[in-house]
Amino acid sequence: MLLDPFLDYAFMRRALVGCLALSLAAPPLGVFLVLRRLSLIGDALGHAILPGVALGAMVGGLSLVAMSVGGVLAGLAIVVAAGLASRGTGLREDASLAGFYLVALALGVVLVSMSGSGVDLLDLLFGAALGVDDGALLFMASVTTVTLVALALMWRPLVAETFDPGFLRHAGGGGAAWHLAFLALVVLNLVAAFHALGTLMAVGLMMLPATGARFWSGSVGGQVVAAVLAASAASVAGLLVSFHADLPTGPAIVLAAGAIWALGLAAGPQGSLLRRWARRPHLAG
């Protein structure tokens, strides 16, 4: 039950490798989103790439390159537009993104309906992990490589900008540039995840392991490791459940990630419900 699906079927092996590649790169970005209290921005950007993907499909058909380029450009356009709107009006960046992503999501659905390109809206929204081909797999691996190299290069300024943005700004460290580079990595990973999990489910593999990681470690590095391990476990479990129970793959993976998150919330070693409950008699005494 555990090994035969991956040994016997090439499409299961491709889905596994693709999801594991996503699990290496997306959760660390999610950890920083959580630490910056920007958790919902990942969800907003996941929706924002839909019109770009739809336009790419209208121009290039079911082309990996066209849909990926369209998704990246749409996500970056939303990031820049939301940043300009927040700086020009004083509106919080997350509130500005909320407005832009809702418009983008609706526009994307309309474009898909009008395109007549043979693109299945359900596949765009919820993904088709078992249909990942070699081109999509290479794209995911490339995005993972770029993300890990970029994180290694920008780790220290990214941590500094996360915990004390004022210091980096006054020290001439280019805090705004690091923030934009970080959001660009988020967009790139969401576009890569879209090919397996769809625009609605892509953010699940990024944010659920990241939000649960705080229950397993108190350090940034520890949370990154915990998030990657949780996402990898969720990928394997979700693929197996999807195969044996004949369930949609993207939602199965996200539900597995949700189960691991719930486990950490209930009984993790750092601030979980169990730990807080165990401390009450001691504090009362």
Side-chain angles (χ1 to χ4, degrees), residues 68 100 135 153 176 189 194:
S68 298
F100 279 105
L153 294 174
N189 276 266
F194 140 77

Side-chain angles (χ1 to χ4, degrees), residues 44-53 55 68-87 93 96-101 103-104 107 180 183-188 191:
L45 292 177
H47 293 63
I49 67 175
L50 182 59
V53 171
L55 282 174
S68 298
V69 170
V72 170
L73 292 178
L76 293 177
I78 294 296
V79 167
V80 172
L84 292 175
S86 64
R87 285 168 175 77
E93 188 174 20
S96 180
L97 267 171
F100 279 105
Y101 101 77
V103 173
L107 177 61
L180 287 176
L183 290 181
L185 288 177
V186 172
V187 170
L188 192 60
V191 172

Side-chain angles (χ1 to χ4, degrees), residues 166-186:
F167 168 77
L168 200 61
R169 183 168 57 250
H170 293 304
W178 292 116
H179 181 64
L180 287 176
F182 168 72
L183 290 181
L185 288 177
V186 172

Side-chain angles (χ1 to χ4, degrees), residues 122-141:
L122 289 180
D123 284 346
L124 290 183
L125 294 178
F126 299 105
L130 298 184
V132 170
D133 58 17
D134 292 339
L137 191 59
L138 180 61
F139 177 61
M140 293 177 194

Side-chain angles (χ1 to χ4, degrees), residues 161-248:
E161 205 269 336
T162 297
F163 291 102
D164 193 356
F167 168 77
L168 200 61
R169 183 168 57 250
H170 293 304
W178 292 116
H179 181 64
L180 287 176
F182 168 72
L183 290 181
L185 288 177
V186 172
V187 170
L188 192 60
N189 276 266
L190 288 173
V191 172
F194 140 77
H195 291 289
L197 304 176
T199 59
L200 293 185
M201 297 288 104
V203 72
L205 202 59
M206 177 182 289
M207 296 310 305
L208 274 172
T211 55
R214 64 178 296 270
F215 299 114
W216 299 101
S217 177
S219 67
V220 177
Q223 289 181 24
V224 166
V225 172
V228 168
L229 292 176
S232 301
S235 296
V236 175
L239 285 170
L240 288 172
V241 170
S242 172
F243 180 84
H244 290 296
D246 194 22
L247 296 175

